[in-house]
Amino acid sequence: MPNDFFPLTLTQTDLYYDQLHHPDNPTYNIGGYIRMGKVDVYKIQAAHESLVRANNAFGIRIQSNTNGVFQSITPVRRVELPLIDFSAECDPLAAADKWIRRRFETPFNLHDAELYY
């Protein structure tokens, strides 16, 4: 656990307290996807891992205590990119769209957790 804690920015503080006030509302989730044809899954997974390891934004953790709310950056990050295969579904595209919409609508745990899926 890192011990370099620093305050949230003003914008982060606003979002944090608004999310605490509305814990079931994923208003601040940002999501996106790209429709692609045939891809090399292993290369995509390797690129994802490299991106997550190289960018500190993926290591941000928010913690609170009696002194306030703080953030830190940890090198501990989930880098796996699971393969979710919808090809056996009757309508694979619709099943994938439904799955991604549910992810976009799921609020994040804000405390000492990854802020991304």
Side-chain angles (χ1 to χ4, degrees):
M1 178 65 109
N3 51 13
D4 293 331
F5 295 96
F6 45 100
L8 301 180
T9 66
L10 189 55
T11 303
Q12 287 172 315
T13 301
D14 287 346
L15 297 177
Y16 174 81
Y17 284 113
D18 191 51
Q19 192 67 58
L20 285 184
H21 188 66
H22 305 285
D24 297 326
N25 187 341
T27 298
Y28 302 108
N29 283 13
I30 299 171
Y33 60 90
I34 301 170
R35 292 187 194 269
M36 302 170 71
K38 189 174 182 175
V39 297
D40 183 328
V41 173
Y42 300 107
K43 284 184 180 178
I44 295 288
Q45 289 171 329
H48 174 269
E49 180 176 347
S50 179
L51 177 74
V52 171
R53 288 191 191 283
N55 290 279
N56 282 340
F58 292 102
I60 294 174
R61 301 294 182 273
I62 298 174
Q63 298 165 6
S64 62
N65 59 36
T66 56
N67 295 320
V69 181
F70 302 92
Q71 61 183 315
S72 62
I73 299 174
T74 178
V76 178
R77 301 165 193 184
R78 179 176 33 92
V79 297
E80 298 80 23
L81 183 62
L83 174 62
I84 302 170
D85 185 357
F86 296 100
S87 63
E89 299 289 330
C90 293
D91 186 347
L93 192 55
D97 285 341
K98 182 178 178 180
W99 181 87
I100 197 73
R101 272 194 315 278
R102 277 188 299 206
R103 296 299 284 201
F104 292 165
E105 296 168 356
T106 302
F108 286 91
N109 175 10
L110 296 178
H111 295 103
D112 200 20
E114 294 172 332
L115 301 175
Y116 65 96
Y117 289 123

